[in-house]
Amino acid sequence: MRILVIEDEAALRGQLAAQLGREGFRVDQTGDGDEGLYLAREYPFDGAVLDLGLPGTPGLEILRQMRAAGNRLPVLVLTARGRWQDKVEGLEAGADDYLAKPFEMEELLARLRALLRRAAGAAGQVIEAGPLRLDRAGQRLWVRGAPVELTAYEFRLLERLMAERGRVLSKRELSDYLYPHDEDRDSNVLEVLVGRLRRKLDPDGSLVPIETLRGRGYRFAIDGDPV
Ligand code: CA
């Protein structure tokens, strides 16, 4: 996933770029509004983090111009603390979410991921990858055209992995997603679930789209996906 960061505070921009990079995103960054608008127009990003006060084209104007041109890129706006007008104007100009400075990096990542997931959901109720075809609305799955029955948990797990194809999802992240109200779950539950899902997707072992990355988590990848 490719993210555009438009922020003129160099230290913050550097932190954002480094953190997003560690999370597996490809990052393009600029501190200039004109360049930001140009990049947003010319390159296919999956999401953007946009500061409002910028040299060159201001953040709100970037957002307005993008939306006027039909660009639906998910945008997380960064606002100055206490500037509630920024929030209102940002949302009116087409921001998908906003975050007041200063913020915790974890919070930014969580908000950004939520935006990306929502965008993926809106973009298509059907996700196809290799031999798999997953219908989110109908909660159905086909493998090489044949329907495969999944439990609700198996479906949710596969849907999340496929929606974030190519990204490593930690066990913690997946457990939080699948069992949000279960305080003392243990990671064996997730491992068993992954094992069962793999066998259903791939009974003869010819295709294993769910990789285990030791100590890191799981990743859905089809042959040819970048590592
Ligand atoms: Ca600024």
Side-chain angles (χ1 to χ4, degrees):
M1 291 232 171
R2 187 173 175 185
I3 304 295
L4 175 60
V5 173
I6 310 176
E7 164 61 70
D8 62 323
E9 286 173 47
L12 177 57
R13 186 174 70 244
Q15 277 174 20
L16 282 166
Q19 185 68 41
L20 290 168
R22 278 195 290 275
E23 299 292 323
F25 294 104
R26 269 181 71 191
V27 181
D28 291 58
Q29 47 169 309
T30 177
D32 180 80
D34 295 346
E35 190 183 7
L37 180 57
Y38 167 78
L39 290 170
R41 273 188 181 145
E42 297 297 322
Y43 294 92
F45 291 99
D46 298 293
V49 177
L50 174 67
D51 184 32
L52 293 185
L54 294 167
T57 311
L60 279 179
E61 187 55 29
I62 293 175
L63 200 49
R64 285 196 192 99
Q65 290 200 27
M66 282 169 56
R67 296 314 189 218
N71 185 332
R72 302 303 314 155
L73 182 71
V75 174
L76 176 63
V77 158
L78 303 179
T79 66
R81 184 177 194 167
R83 289 265 308 162
W84 61 269
Q85 304 96 315
D86 285 354
K87 172 192 160 188
V88 174
E89 287 179 347
L91 293 174
E92 281 178 354
D96 298 277
D97 199 0
Y98 71 93
L99 196 54
K101 294 181 188 177
F103 52 83
E104 296 292 331
M105 210 49 88
E106 283 303 313
E107 167 101 43
L108 179 129
L109 288 169
R111 300 283 194 96
L112 185 61
R113 285 199 187 109
L115 281 190
L116 297 172
R117 276 201 300 279
R118 284 209 297 275
Q125 291 300 317
V126 173
I127 311 177
E128 291 187 81
L132 306 184
R133 178 180 159 83
L134 182 137
D135 171 7
R136 299 176 117 171
Q139 305 262 298
R140 286 171 301 176
L141 173 77
W142 293 266
V143 180
R144 296 187 184 87
V148 172
E149 289 292 327
L150 297 181
T151 66
Y153 279 115
E154 289 163 357
F155 187 89
R156 270 170 65 76
L157 172 62
L158 181 62
E159 180 187 29
R160 178 72 192 271
L161 286 165
M162 286 180 75
E164 301 199 43
R165 175 172 169 176
R167 190 166 89 76
V168 180
L169 291 145
S170 70
K171 288 183 179 177
R172 171 73 190 276
E173 195 175 349
L174 286 170
S175 294
D176 285 349
Y177 176 69
L178 291 168
Y179 314 107
H181 306 297
D182 192 349
E183 293 300 321
D184 62 357
R185 65 205 161 217
D186 80 63
S187 70
N188 290 330
V189 176
L190 181 64
E191 284 167 24
V192 169
L193 184 64
V194 169
R196 224 165 50 206
L197 181 58
R198 276 196 180 118
R199 284 191 295 280
K200 282 194 179 179
L201 297 181
D202 186 22
D204 59 4
S206 61
L207 158 95
V208 184
I210 302 171
E211 297 171 9
T212 304
L213 293 104
R214 279 179 74 104
R216 292 175 64 201
Y218 298 102
R219 185 174 91 123
F220 182 91
I222 297 285
D223 280 352
D225 278 358
V227 180

